[in-house]
């Protein structure tokens, strides 16, 4: 009889283990109707300090691209939004524990698809591949033979490694350091957003020395909802799509340099002035001849 009690004790522990494990992992939420979100509103968590997406400015005001974007979304959909501002670890914990409905902007990561469904990108911007005109490589062989400078961010390095596994990349702390590395020949090519090139060119003209080869990769920021909340996912995507184009343009231009500024064609720029000058000279000559 005494031998039976240890066996019963061990069996009890084994049977109880799955129950304990189940308590540690929250059950996924039941699907919620879109009407509930319209009636009760939603909680959107935004990054606490991610300039220019969401940050506190010098006056102490919370501002940024994502802040304005979600305000536009709320106005367009008529859904009341409760905002929270947190770092990624705390935000992920809240999303996994069903404490927050929407994350307003984050990078894609495969491991987070266990508890998140990603909406469409709320911001997409390309990095262009750039070399110097007088550099040792051209656009055809820079990726196979040269070194390419990129920004030292986890998602950038992950994208570059996934798309261009054989390229020699060198990471620098920010876009300015990347561009300076190219200009000082520390690397033979760089991948950087065109707006950063334009901003640097405004300070010190560099564009005439550069050759933009093509788009290198895209940086995308997504919204996300709790897993399997299909109707909320549709509300997010549809609401973003319904924001008027001119309003989206204003928001984007307020926080990002947009467009590409072509190299000036000095000959074409000077041509109309030259024609006008020649015309004036001809008129003066004819007038003088008549006077003579």
């Amino acid at each position: 009889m005494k031998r039976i009690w240890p066996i019963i004790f061990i069996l009890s522990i084994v049977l109880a283990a799955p129950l304990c494990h189940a308590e540690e992992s929250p059950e996924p939420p039941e699907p919620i109707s879109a009407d509930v979100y319209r009636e009760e509103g939603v909680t959107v968590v935004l990054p606490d300090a991610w300039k220019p997406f969401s940050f506190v400015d010098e006056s102490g005001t919370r501002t940024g691209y994502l802040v304005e974007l979600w305000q536009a979304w709320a106005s367009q959909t008529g859904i009341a939004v409760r905002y929270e501002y947190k770092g990624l670890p705390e935000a992920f914990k809240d999303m996994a524990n069903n404490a927050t409905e929407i994350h307003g902007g984050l990078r894609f990561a495969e491991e987070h698809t266990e508890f998140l469904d990603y909406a469409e990108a709320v911001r997409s911007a390309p990095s262009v591949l750039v070399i110097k005109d007088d550099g040792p490589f051209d656009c055809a062989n820079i990726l196979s033979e040269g070194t390419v400078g990129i920004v030292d961010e986890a998602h950038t390095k992950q994208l570059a490694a996934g798309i261009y596994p054989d390229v020699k990349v060198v990471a620098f702390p920010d876009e300015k350091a990347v561009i300076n590395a190219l200009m000082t020949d520390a690397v033979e090519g760089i991948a950087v957003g065109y707006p950063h090139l334009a901003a640097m060119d405004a300070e010190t003209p560099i564009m005439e020395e550069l050759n933009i080869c093509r788009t290198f990769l895209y940086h995308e920021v997504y919204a996300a909802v709790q897993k399997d909340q299909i109707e909320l996912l549709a509300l997010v995507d549809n609401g973003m799509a319904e924001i008027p184009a001119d309003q989206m343009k204003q928001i984007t231009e307020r926080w990002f340099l947009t467009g590409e500024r072509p190299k000036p064609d000095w000959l074409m720029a000077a041509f109309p002035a030259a024609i006008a000058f020649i015309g004036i000279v001809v008129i003066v000559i004819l007038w003088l001849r008549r006077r003579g």
Side-chain angles (χ1 to χ4, degrees):
M1 186 69 178
K2 291 182 179 180
R3 294 179 179 177
I4 295 176
W5 287 109
I7 296 173
I8 294 174
F9 178 73
I10 293 171
L11 287 173
S12 301
I13 294 176
V14 171
L15 292 173
L19 297 176
C20 295
H21 178 74
E23 291 178 357
E24 294 174 359
S25 302
E27 289 293 325
E30 292 294 324
I32 299 174
S33 167
D35 291 335
V36 174
Y37 296 117
R38 292 191 180 95
E39 293 173 5
E40 300 182 1
V42 294
T43 300
V44 176
V45 62
L46 296 176
D48 181 51
W50 190 20
K51 193 173 184 179
F53 291 96
S54 173
F55 65 102
V56 177
D57 65 15
E58 294 78 3
S59 67
T61 303
R62 171 67 60 176
T63 189
Y65 173 79
L66 290 175
V67 176
E68 290 193 15
L69 183 68
W70 281 99
Q71 288 171 349
W73 179 89
S75 176
Q76 191 65 35
T77 60
I79 297 175
V81 175
R82 300 174 293 274
Y83 295 99
E84 296 181 357
Y85 304 95
K86 300 178 180 180
L88 278 179
E90 188 179 1
F92 285 152
K93 182 179 178 181
D94 285 352
M95 293 291 289
N97 292 333
N98 310 324
T100 305
E101 287 92 2
I102 301 173
H103 196 297
L106 71 165
R107 304 288 189 186
F108 177 84
E110 187 67 37
E111 60 268 26
H112 300 147
T113 58
E114 294 183 5
F115 59 91
L116 295 179
D117 281 331
Y118 285 90
E120 296 294 329
V122 295
R123 169 70 182 163
S124 180
S127 282
V128 290
L129 180 63
V130 185
I131 60 175
K132 291 176 72 175
D133 280 334
D134 60 354
F137 303 106
D138 57 30
C139 292
N141 61 13
I142 178 62
L143 294 180
S144 59
E145 300 179 28
T147 55
V148 177
I150 63 173
V151 178
D152 188 11
E153 294 180 343
H155 80 279
T156 302
K157 291 188 285 188
Q158 184 179 7
L159 283 172
I163 301 173
Y164 309 102
D166 299 325
V167 175
K168 299 174 185 175
V169 297
V170 181
F172 295 89
D174 53 39
E175 288 81 1
K176 189 171 183 178
V178 171
I179 298 170
N180 283 332
L182 177 64
M183 302 310 297
T184 58
D185 299 322
V187 294
E188 292 84 30
I190 59 172
V192 70
Y194 188 92
H196 298 288
L197 291 173
M200 181 81 79
D201 185 61
E203 298 175 4
T204 305
I206 59 173
M207 296 298 289
E208 288 298 318
E209 303 177 48
L210 304 179
N211 182 11
I212 298 175
C213 297
R214 58 183 175 82
T215 297
F216 185 73
L217 51 80
Y218 280 88
H219 302 271
E220 294 182 317
V221 176
Y222 298 88
V225 303
Q226 292 175 353
K227 192 71 176 176
D228 297 327
Q229 294 301 329
I230 305 301
E231 294 202 36
L232 180 57
L233 191 67
L235 283 175
V236 170
D237 284 337
N238 294 338
M240 289 295 175
E242 290 170 2
I243 297 175
D246 58 343
Q247 186 177 7
M248 280 295 301
K249 185 173 183 289
Q250 290 172 4
I251 294 173
T252 301
E253 291 181 345
R254 197 155 30 243
W255 296 105
F256 302 98
L257 286 169
T258 58
E260 295 190 6
R261 185 174 58 196
K263 296 180 180 180
D265 189 333
W266 297 112
L267 180 60
M268 291 303 296
F271 186 74
I275 293 297
F277 177 76
I278 291 171
I280 292 172
V281 171
V282 170
I283 291 171
V284 171
I285 292 173
L286 292 174
W287 182 78
L288 290 173
R289 283 182 177 178
R290 288 181 181 180
R291 293 276 295 181

